[in-house]
Amino acid sequence: MRRGPELNELGDECEELLPYVNSLRRAALKAPELAQDTSTTTTSSTAAELTEVRALSHGFLLKFLRARDFDVELALKLLLNYQRWRRDSPEVSSCLSPQSVLGLLREAYHAVLPLRDHSGSRVLLYRIGQWNPKDWSAIQVFRVSLMTSEVIAMEPQTQRRGLKVIFDIQGWCLGHALQVTPSLARKISSVLSDSFPLKVRGIHLLNVPLFFRPVLAMIRPFLPEKIRQRIHVHGYNYTDSLADFFSAPVLPPEYGGEGPSVEEACQAWTNQLLQSESLLQRIAAHPTGDVDQTTSDGPQIRTD
């Protein structure tokens, strides 16, 4: 029998994966969070939702299995945490519209860099200084992260290799700090650790001012030890230390690399999110977030 990492390498339609997918589906539908009492009378709208919940598509379940190396018990826990997080955080999860935060995206705040790193991980970049807290709330900013996460979580290669995040904290001010409440810190840490089907392989903090440390201290206790060990604080002279983790072609020139500029990378990813508008809104509206990524009104998600 193959081990989890070996199963991760198999294609989505490989028959060897079917027993794991079916086992996870059966276990999920018995869980109180997803189990439904069909003996009572329902409206046609509710009946349609029940059908959608029971479907739990092959591709959707694979995201959770790959995130936990095909350990069905751990994948079930992750799936139920994801459902619970969506239900308990409607202020973030129920509005996944790139158009609603287009002004922030056009400030070159966020990008998924074009090239993966040496291990195949996606590399995400956030530039805090481009977020004006007078114009955009922390909830809106968090939605940007969730939209990107939903899109890249559909990429089989990202399901296998996970992601790494670069946070440039240059420009952090009191206005930012006041918006990061303990409640929001807990929601952020949940997504990073046990409520979203993506493997977080590294978190890199650049240009970290002293008054950002209390925010980091607020988030850390909610993170598992393996995630805490993957946090790297590079300070202000980060070029050499960042190069220990990312090759020159991956990084923009502004961060010591040879890839496309920050502006180009941010614009390219903004375009990708805008193309995913319909898909993201369907995810937000769906009872479980399980939607078909290849319908005619949605984009084909990149799998490079």
Side-chain angles (χ1 to χ4, degrees):
M1 180 179 292
R2 294 182 194 259
R3 300 167 65 96
E6 295 172 319
L7 291 168
N8 262 330
E9 300 305 314
L10 300 179
D12 287 10
E13 303 307 319
C14 179
E15 290 187 4
E16 200 169 340
L17 302 182
L18 286 177
Y20 297 90
V21 172
N22 291 335
S23 179
L24 177 56
R25 182 182 290 110
R26 285 193 300 269
L29 295 179
K30 291 178 182 176
E33 290 87 342
L34 289 175
Q36 299 287 344
D37 181 6
T38 59
S39 63
T40 58
T41 302
T42 61
T43 65
S44 59
S45 174
T46 304
E49 286 192 359
L50 295 179
T51 299
E52 289 176 326
V53 167
R54 288 200 190 91
L56 291 179
S57 73
H58 181 89
F60 180 71
L61 294 172
L62 271 180
K63 292 194 298 186
F64 296 91
L65 286 164
R66 285 192 173 125
R68 293 296 180 263
D69 288 327
F70 283 83
D71 184 313
V72 173
E73 184 176 345
L74 293 180
L76 174 63
K77 180 180 178 181
L78 178 62
L79 172 59
L80 297 180
N81 284 347
Y82 172 78
Q83 301 302 331
R84 193 176 299 115
W85 192 94
R86 294 180 81 236
R87 184 190 65 230
D88 294 346
S89 307
E91 73 281 12
V92 183
S93 63
S94 65
C95 179
L96 300 182
S97 168
Q99 287 285 352
S100 71
V101 290
L102 186 55
L104 175 61
L105 291 170
R106 284 181 170 164
E107 291 295 327
Y109 162 71
H110 169 56
V112 175
L113 301 183
L115 293 184
R116 297 175 182 273
D117 79 342
H118 65 281
S119 67
S121 294
R122 274 290 194 195
V123 182
L124 282 58
L125 172 66
Y126 294 92
R127 303 168 72 218
I128 299 301
Q130 304 307 111
W131 163 28
N132 185 341
K134 294 180 180 179
D135 297 330
W136 303 98
S137 71
I139 294 297
Q140 290 171 307
V141 172
F142 193 6
R143 284 186 196 135
V144 172
S145 298
L146 191 60
M147 285 187 276
T148 285
S149 297
E150 289 286 6
V151 170
I152 65 175
M154 290 186 170
E155 302 170 338
Q157 182 71 342
T158 306
Q159 294 169 14
R160 297 180 180 108
R161 305 289 181 246
L163 61 88
K164 294 173 183 173
V165 190
I166 300 172
F167 289 102
D168 185 345
I169 315 297
Q170 179 103 38
W172 179 264
C173 66
L174 181 62
H176 295 115
L178 291 175
Q179 293 207 34
V180 183
T181 63
S183 174
L184 182 62
R186 190 176 296 109
K187 291 179 187 293
I188 292 171
S189 64
S190 291
V191 169
L192 289 174
S193 58
D194 63 359
S195 298
F196 202 89
L198 281 172
K199 300 173 181 178
V200 179
R201 299 300 198 188
I203 299 172
H204 299 265
L205 306 177
L206 317 180
N207 297 314
V208 181
L210 284 176
F211 52 91
F212 179 77
R213 305 275 175 164
V215 174
L216 188 57
M218 185 165 46
I219 294 175
R220 270 184 184 273
F222 300 119
L223 298 173
E225 180 60 27
K226 68 176 182 180
I227 297 295
R228 291 201 293 268
Q229 291 178 354
R230 294 171 184 172
I231 297 175
H232 307 275
V233 180
H234 295 266
Y236 291 94
N237 298 316
Y238 54 79
T239 304
D240 289 343
S241 60
L242 201 59
D244 291 338
F245 295 90
F246 304 100
S247 64
V250 173
L251 296 173
E254 294 89 338
Y255 294 93
E258 300 171 355
S261 70
V262 165
E263 289 285 343
E264 291 174 310
C266 289
Q267 184 57 58
W269 188 250
T270 295
N271 292 341
Q272 178 71 39
L273 287 178
L274 289 172
Q275 291 171 31
S276 304
E277 175 91 27
S278 176
L279 172 68
L280 287 164
Q281 292 206 39
R282 293 202 311 277
I283 290 172
H286 194 280
T288 65
D290 178 6
V291 302
D292 183 0
Q293 70 186 63
T294 58
T295 55
S296 58
D297 62 339
Q300 292 282 343
I301 302 303
R302 301 186 306 177
T303 57
D304 57 321

